[in-house]
Amino acid sequence: MLQCVADFSCDKGPEFRLSAMYCCGVRQGVGDVEHATQVRLTREVFAHLDANTTALAPDVMYHATSAYDSPERLAREKEILFRKYPLLMGLSGQLPNAGDFLTDDYSGVPIVVVRDRGGDVRAFLNVCRHRGARLVEGCGKTGRAFSCPYHGWSYSLQGALMGIPDKDSFAGVDKADRGLVELPAIERDGMIWVIPTPGAELDADAHLCGLAPELANYGFADYHLYETRVLRRNFNWKMVIDTFLEPYHFGVLHANTVGPLLFPNLCLFDGFGPHLRETLPRRSIETLRDLPEADWDLITHTAMVYVLFPNTVLVMQIDHVELWRVYPVADNVDECVMYLDFLIPEPVETESARQHWDRNMDLTIRTVDEEDFPVSAGIQSGLASKAQSELVFGRNEPALAHFQSSINEALAAVR
Ligand code: FES
């Protein structure tokens, strides 16, 4: 099912107790991290539990607040991170059939991604070659072609200009020169990547810096899009990602919600180039101690958080996938927009299943929107006060330090 919701805000309901983000569920035939890796990570979790430790960064990191409130810095981020890097547009299940399309404008480039009749995913500038009208809005399904809503020029799903109404008035216009402008796009292991710059080179495996085989094991191509929601909030785009990157706050900020289900201040961290994997064990992982290693299933007892640099957080939640894709809004250092794509292992066929996933999605959003995001908004307003020029990342926040350092390095690498 393809479904877009223009914007979302939730009212805290009396039933709000525990986040679906961390709830227990039953996995339904989804893929896994390679089992040897699961065993290694589980052993690391037990070692930390036994020693009352967590993964540590080499040093405390002092991070300039200008990373969050400098217009010049944001301009560099937009120019480099959102134009030169592959951006994850979604998982394959979001475009299951020929003619399915989605659009994305928040990189600063109007993008339309479509599955063509040969089954390939293609991306184009969402700009008609007549007088520049937008071809499509939102997401949905088109037929054999895109038809411009202004004067009716039509384009094949491969981007070729097919039809010009009253073509005699355009004598000499070569249709071969007026196809849609194509963007580099690739579908790999169930993930759809686009670089918003025509002619750029896209190598998904190289981009993922060794993480590709692990992601491939999840079998993302088999997931089904349940729903996409779009949220705009008033803080820097990177703060959305920051909030996923340490469990140090679980015992305090989430003391009455998800905190009791997870270990506060315990995570594993692994970097893959600028990307990262953060393993957040649930307390239920202790049950694995009674089982032979061959039976260890780490995924059931963790939230696996991946940052796919620069702007995506992929959370593997036992039986479903949350994809958070985050962008700055225009030139505003203190405004962001995020897509939450909620992908599930089986198509919804019953009303009870629909209610189950509705509850999961609502509670997922409530957890971040009612506890994490208000703190982020407060941080952003505090930055404006110029109370301090730098933030402090403890050694117990290695994923956070890695993400912010990776951005610093990416910006510094381009003159
Ligand atoms: S702008 Fe598209 S047909 Fe005229």
Side-chain angles (χ1 to χ4, degrees), residues 320-396:
H320 65 277
V321 178
E322 297 164 15
L323 211 54
W324 297 81
R325 299 180 292 116
V326 192
Y327 297 86
V329 173
D331 296 326
N332 303 327
V333 295
D334 57 356
E335 188 176 4
C336 65
V337 63
M338 69 204 85
Y339 295 87
L340 169 57
D341 303 316
F342 209 79
L343 295 116
I344 61 177
E346 306 279 350
V348 168
E349 294 178 345
T350 66
E351 183 55 29
S352 64
R354 181 171 304 284
Q355 291 175 2
H356 167 78
W357 291 116
D358 280 348
R359 282 195 301 271
N360 268 265
M361 181 138 197
D362 286 346
L363 291 174
T364 297
I365 290 177
R366 287 180 184 186
T367 299
V368 293
D369 214 25
E370 296 181 5
E371 295 189 343
D372 292 291
F373 289 171
V375 171
S376 300
I379 293 171
Q380 191 73 47
S381 63
L383 294 176
S385 76
K386 303 301 180 188
Q388 56 186 352
S389 60
E390 59 190 15
L391 308 178
V392 186
F393 300 157
R395 292 188 63 201
N396 59 343

Side-chain angles (χ1 to χ4, degrees), residues 91-93 95 115 119-121 185-193:
L91 301 187
S92 297
L95 301 176
R115 187 173 299 283
D120 294 327
V121 165
I186 192 167
E187 183 176 33
R188 178 65 53 84
D189 299 323
M191 296 176 286
I192 298 169
W193 301 91

Side-chain angles (χ1 to χ4, degrees), residues 128-135 148-155 165:
C128 177
R129 297 301 305 281
H130 174 215
R131 283 172 50 201
R134 291 171 63 84
L135 286 177
C148 179
Y150 201 175
H151 310 92
W153 285 29
S154 60
Y155 301 87

Side-chain angles (χ1 to χ4, degrees), residues 182-240:
E182 190 151 15
L183 297 171
I186 192 167
E187 183 176 33
R188 178 65 53 84
D189 299 323
M191 296 176 286
I192 298 169
W193 301 91
V194 172
I195 299 180
T197 299
E201 185 178 343
L202 202 172
D203 182 335
D205 289 339
H207 171 61
L208 286 170
C209 299
L211 189 54
E214 178 168 322
L215 296 176
N217 275 345
Y218 283 115
F220 292 138
D222 295 329
Y223 280 80
H224 303 262
L225 178 65
Y226 182 65
E227 188 177 348
T228 295
R229 294 192 189 179
V230 184
L231 295 85
R232 276 185 189 237
R233 296 296 178 263
N234 290 109
F235 41 82
N236 187 271
W237 69 274
K238 297 184 295 297
M239 286 190 193
V240 177

